[in-house]
Amino acid sequence: MVVWILFFVLIILILALDLGVFNKNPHIITTKEASKWTAIWVTFSVLFSGVIYWLYGTDYIANTSHLTQYGAALKFITGYLIELSLSVDNIFVIAIIFASFKIPQKYQHRVLFWGILGAIVFRGLMISFGVIIINKFAWTTYVFGVFLIFTAMKMLFGKDDEDFEPKDSFVYKTLGKIIPITSETDKEKFFIKTEKGKSATPLFVALIVIEVMDVLFAVDSVPAILAITSDPFIVFSSNIFAILGLRSMYFFLANMLEKFSYLEYSLIAILSFVGVKMLLHDYFEIPEWASLAFIALSLVVGVIVSLQKNKNKS
């Protein structure tokens, strides 16, 4: 429990510094600033894999899966890459939500900050539930595997995210029945007083819609990382580091989403791969380095093809 407590203290400290020091005053996040923070988060996450390596060579954490130090660090990086890559789809939806509710750029970081807090809680609950059922009912591994392959096929043949209209969503309509919603804004405030009483501003509505969409995305991403390992600490920590880096990644990619349109196929390949891995885990063990190599290669190919196609168009 000491390790878990220290990890939560670290996350709280990071978030406090983020909102209380580095982003105390609302401002527009430039591409340069976003790229700097993206690099910092990725570096911090890679360095934390070193902490994982050290940790799993000690008695400070319950190593129920009997992982080696090298194996634990590799699983952390693989899980982190999976979560980070699947976050790309989340970024597309966040951009649509902000555009739909006309959230000013300078206040988008504040919305995403509070969205991160909610995501940490919900992901923690979903990961705990997922680990419990996989350890208790081994056959659920096959269910998750089939589900991931189904999700990949749905992405391949389904409609684009651009068809999603936040104001027509069930979440928006339900929220409107619970509390009055206004189109007015007052800086970064989530609630303001109107003729109808205390009303939710577009910032709060966008926050709630983003939270619900994150839960829906987690339904795909949590089983994907459970295909790599069912070790609670590795699953949770890799997931959280990916979520923490999502904000800077959003501002880095928000204006370049169209340039990376072929990354969608990388995500389909990754989901299909981990789905097949879960279905074959009793018959054929895919080495961790091979999983990491496939995921990294899929992302690199997606980026290169996207850039090449855009270059040819211009």
Side-chain angles (χ1 to χ4, degrees), residues 86-119:
L86 293 179
S87 294
V88 173
D89 248 13
N90 210 346
I91 289 173
F92 278 82
V93 174
I94 290 172
I96 293 172
I97 293 171
F98 280 152
S100 177
F101 293 111
K102 298 178 181 178
I103 306 299
Q105 282 186 308
K106 66 187 298 185
Y107 301 131
Q108 289 179 4
H109 182 277
R110 187 62 60 100
V111 174
L112 289 177
F113 173 86
W114 292 108
I116 292 300
L117 290 180

Side-chain angles (χ1 to χ4, degrees), residues 137-206:
F137 308 103
W139 54 268
T140 55
T141 301
Y142 297 105
V143 176
F144 284 157
V146 171
F147 175 73
L148 290 176
I149 294 174
F150 168 76
T151 302
M153 294 304 101
K154 187 178 177 183
M155 288 175 66
L156 183 60
F157 300 108
K159 293 182 179 180
D160 294 334
D161 287 328
E162 292 176 359
D163 295 333
F164 172 66
E165 177 50 59
K167 290 185 178 179
D168 292 335
S169 66
F170 173 77
V171 181
Y172 179 81
K173 293 176 180 178
T174 303
L175 187 63
K177 295 177 182 178
I178 299 173
I179 186 172
I181 295 175
T182 178
S183 59
E184 299 176 26
T185 58
D186 183 5
K187 297 181 180 179
E188 71 269 25
K189 291 181 180 179
F190 288 127
F191 298 95
I192 59 174
K193 289 184 179 180
T194 63
E195 294 178 355
K196 297 180 181 179
K198 195 172 186 180
S199 301
T201 67
L203 272 74
F204 182 76
V205 179

Side-chain angles (χ1 to χ4, degrees), residues 23-312:
N23 293 285
K24 186 176 181 179
N25 299 314
H27 64 285
I28 296 176
I29 308 293
T30 63
T31 302
K32 183 179 179 181
E33 182 181 356
S35 61
K36 180 187 73 174
W37 278 107
T38 299
I40 289 173
W41 280 118
V42 172
T43 302
F44 193 37
S45 301
V46 172
L47 290 175
F48 193 79
S49 68
V51 176
I52 294 290
Y53 180 90
W54 168 79
L55 197 58
Y56 279 75
T58 68
D59 296 325
Y60 296 135
I61 197 162
N63 188 358
T64 54
S65 302
H66 308 292
L67 299 172
T68 62
Q69 290 176 276
Y70 175 74
L74 210 56
K75 286 180 182 294
F76 172 84
I77 295 174
T78 305
Y80 171 74
L81 266 183
I82 287 178
E83 292 302 317
L84 202 61
S85 59
L86 293 179
S87 294
V88 173
D89 248 13
N90 210 346
I91 289 173
F92 278 82
V93 174
I94 290 172
I96 293 172
I97 293 171
F98 280 152
S100 177
F101 293 111
K102 298 178 181 178
I103 306 299
Q105 282 186 308
K106 66 187 298 185
Y107 301 131
Q108 289 179 4
H109 182 277
R110 187 62 60 100
V111 174
L112 289 177
F113 173 86
W114 292 108
I116 292 300
L117 290 180
I120 290 174
V121 174
F122 288 122
R123 292 293 179 97
L125 292 173
M126 294 180 74
I127 288 169
S128 300
F129 180 70
V131 170
I132 289 171
I133 63 173
I134 276 188
N135 288 333
K136 195 158 188 174
F137 308 103
W139 54 268
T140 55
T141 301
Y142 297 105
V143 176
F144 284 157
V146 171
F147 175 73
L148 290 176
I149 294 174
F150 168 76
T151 302
M153 294 304 101
K154 187 178 177 183
M155 288 175 66
L156 183 60
F157 300 108
K159 293 182 179 180
D160 294 334
D161 287 328
E162 292 176 359
D163 295 333
F164 172 66
E165 177 50 59
K167 290 185 178 179
D168 292 335
S169 66
F170 173 77
V171 181
Y172 179 81
K173 293 176 180 178
T174 303
L175 187 63
K177 295 177 182 178
I178 299 173
I179 186 172
I181 295 175
T182 178
S183 59
E184 299 176 26
T185 58
D186 183 5
K187 297 181 180 179
E188 71 269 25
K189 291 181 180 179
F190 288 127
F191 298 95
I192 59 174
K193 289 184 179 180
T194 63
E195 294 178 355
K196 297 180 181 179
K198 195 172 186 180
S199 301
T201 67
L203 272 74
F204 182 76
V205 179
L207 171 63
I208 298 301
V209 176
I210 287 173
E211 289 284 15
V212 174
M213 294 307 298
D214 181 74
V215 172
L216 295 178
F217 276 108
V219 172
D220 298 335
S221 64
V222 171
I225 195 172
L226 288 174
I228 303 301
T229 179
S230 60
D231 183 276
F233 188 73
I234 292 179
V235 173
F236 185 73
S237 59
S238 59
N239 213 289
I240 296 308
F241 272 103
I243 291 173
L244 289 173
L246 178 61
R247 286 163 305 158
S248 57
M249 193 170 156
Y250 165 76
F251 291 110
F252 177 62
L253 294 177
N255 298 322
M256 301 184 290
L257 292 179
E258 293 183 359
K259 293 183 180 180
F260 297 99
S261 56
Y262 283 84
L263 265 179
E264 185 82 6
Y265 296 100
S266 297
L267 306 185
I268 292 170
I270 291 171
L271 283 174
S272 300
F273 173 78
V274 295
V276 170
K277 182 176 180 178
M278 293 188 95
L279 293 177
L280 298 179
H281 79 284
D282 280 335
Y283 312 99
F284 180 72
E285 185 68 29
I286 300 176
E288 210 56 57
W289 62 266
S291 298
L292 180 58
F294 180 87
I295 293 166
L297 182 63
S298 297
L299 292 173
V300 170
V301 170
V303 170
I304 292 175
V305 172
S306 296
L307 294 177
Q308 189 63 41
K309 290 290 183 180
N310 279 291
K311 184 178 179 182
N312 293 337

